[in-house]
Amino acid sequence: VAAEAAAASAEIGEESDSNDLKKSKTKELFRKAYAQHRVEKMTKDMLTSLRNSENSPFVMAADEEDDGDGDVPVEKVTYDSDSHLSVLFQMHGSVWPSVLPFCLVNVLITYLVVLAKWNGIDLTFPSDGHTFMAIMVSFLIVTRAQITYHRFMEARGYLSELFRSCRELIHHTAILTMQDKCRGAKQWRKDVAFRTIVLLRVTIAALEFRTSKINTWDVVPTDMRQSMVTFVPDGASPSTPRASSTHRMMKWAHGVRTLSDENFRAPIVMAYNLRAEIMKQRNGQYLKIDMHPNEELKLLAFVSDYIAAFHGLKKLITTPFPFPLVQMARTFLFFWIFTLPFALVREISEPVQAMLIIFFTTFGFIGLEYVSMELDDPFGDDPNDFDDLGMAQMVFEDIYITLYKLDGSASAEDLRKQVANQVKRGGTAVQEYHRDMQESMGSMGNLA
């Protein structure tokens, strides 16, 4: 940095005849260079300190894997679009493994039709009907692929909004209270950050529930599980077991709720808890400088943005692709593709040529259907699914860095330790849920 400043100083000397002007500009360059050097050194020291720390926020995935909670991000599909060979022969994320059996079966059917024709048994028929039917099949398959792709990108947009809202909430929380460095303010900022991390982690668990079968209630810290039950009768003891409280809450239900319903309810309850945490500073025990109501509304607005994006994701997950359209498309597809050899062999007598055409036609049509199937549910552990957990962990790290810049490494490390120790995955909430259901049904039978 000093060398660059010296070189710039030499250039100034060539352009300016005034020694005073040269000295002032040189001093200004050295001042800026030193400031840049200090920023780079502080950033490097921060990263080194956090990485070397026992509770480093940058080793979250490894820590959680060691803890046995199973939080392993999806291995994303990457490819070099400039390399044709790499794109053609890459198997990770490809539909080749799923489509290849259909291609081989259809080639075998083609070979048997040719063999039968050679032996005087003609199973072929004119291709006029297949030509007309190909238009219908192409329309259904391409339309389904387009709709699925738009749903895929819409889901990715909502997911980005979740991450943006979390980052913006913590940034504004830090910026709007950065003049208050008292112990209470630091604790409040850390509590808001922790509630934000829990909300995001619970949301990811809810989105992945259909694939992972891991209940969101098992992701919630143990000391928060009781607060997840909203319809607890007055006078219930805070130490009431969760199963018993849930049993009481179910008396308020307007219908039978599935485990999936309860999982999608968890982020909404945690969002309420986050809003309550934001407003907790009004009791005067945390901030020495009161927040303006407009500042509070700004923070609450980010939570509202988060919930709006979550409801968008819930809409896509709970509203699958219309079944009649899927059924019709696959009926036409399989009937057309597996009767194609009988029409094609009539037009093409060369068996190798016919089998090659059948092979790649099968790959094209059934492959496109499998692409739609792959993109239809992007929340899971398939290669083409979103790496939502990995992206969420990046948000966690950004939150640690924000807290570090304002309140120091001790606060960031305490938050990281709190996340590592409390945000766990277990295997008990599903059993609790089924037990609650059985107890509730038994009680309803007794009342009847």
Side-chain angles (χ1 to χ4, degrees), residues 155-383:
R156 184 61 182 88
Y158 286 132
L159 200 60
S160 296
E161 182 63 19
L162 293 183
F163 301 145
R164 185 198 70 82
S165 299
C166 290
R167 288 187 172 101
E168 289 292 295
L169 172 60
I170 301 306
H171 280 184
H172 281 74
T173 300
I175 293 298
L176 294 176
T177 61
M178 65 186 306
Q179 304 302 327
D180 198 336
K181 297 295 185 66
C182 67
R183 182 178 300 178
K186 292 181 179 181
Q187 182 63 42
W188 176 72
R189 285 190 286 263
K190 189 174 71 172
D191 291 343
V192 171
F194 179 68
R195 292 280 186 177
T196 303
I197 289 174
V198 172
L199 171 60
L200 182 55
R201 185 63 189 87
V202 165
T203 303
I204 297 300
L207 297 176
E208 294 183 343
F209 173 73
R210 289 198 302 179
T211 301
S212 67
K213 302 303 179 185
I214 299 297
N215 198 296
T216 54
W217 308 103
D218 289 326
V219 177
V220 178
T222 305
D223 59 351
M224 289 187 184
R225 289 187 182 180
Q226 183 64 28
S227 65
M228 301 292 283
V229 181
T230 55
F231 295 107
V232 180
D234 293 337
S237 170
S239 61
T240 303
R242 178 176 161 268
S244 176
S245 299
T246 305
H247 171 68
R248 292 173 183 162
M249 183 185 68
M250 290 181 66
K251 295 180 181 179
W252 294 80
H254 287 270
V256 178
R257 296 290 167 253
T258 65
L259 193 57
S260 179
D261 296 332
E262 294 302 318
N263 275 275
F264 279 117
R265 178 175 290 147
I268 299 174
V269 178
M270 293 307 299
Y272 171 85
N273 293 342
L274 176 57
R275 288 182 170 115
E277 193 70 44
I278 292 173
M279 299 306 296
K280 188 176 69 174
Q281 44 80 28
R282 277 195 174 186
N283 63 16
Q285 299 178 4
Y286 293 94
L287 300 180
K288 291 183 177 179
I289 305 174
D290 294 336
M291 294 187 69
H292 191 276
N294 288 342
E295 295 175 340
E296 296 173 341
L297 291 174
K298 183 67 175 178
L299 299 183
L300 294 174
F302 290 122
V303 185
S304 298
D305 293 342
Y306 185 99
I307 290 299
F310 169 71
H311 279 292
L313 290 169
K314 183 180 177 182
K315 174 197 70 175
L316 294 174
I317 293 176
T318 57
T319 310
F321 199 93
F323 172 73
L325 187 57
V326 175
Q327 185 183 48
M328 182 179 294
R330 291 191 189 175
T331 301
F332 274 94
L333 171 63
F334 286 116
F335 177 80
W336 181 81
I337 202 71
F338 287 113
T339 56
L340 182 60
F342 298 92
L344 193 63
V345 170
R346 189 181 185 91
E347 305 293 335
I348 302 176
S349 58
E350 176 61 37
V352 176
Q353 182 182 359
M355 286 188 288
L356 283 175
I357 294 175
I358 289 293
F359 181 90
F360 286 104
T361 302
T362 304
F363 171 73
F365 279 87
I366 295 186
L368 198 57
E369 177 65 13
Y370 264 89
V371 169
S372 300
M373 294 166 58
E374 188 80 12
L375 301 182
D376 202 29
D377 182 15
F379 301 103
D381 52 5
D382 293 332

Side-chain angles (χ1 to χ4, degrees), residues 410-437:
S411 183
E413 291 181 5
D414 287 345
L415 176 60
R416 176 62 183 94
K417 184 186 297 184
Q418 190 177 7
V419 171
N421 292 340
Q422 297 195 36
V423 181
K424 300 288 187 180
R425 277 182 168 177
T428 60
V430 176
Q431 288 80 357
E432 286 184 11
Y433 178 84
H434 288 303
R435 185 171 63 251
D436 295 341
M437 289 291 292

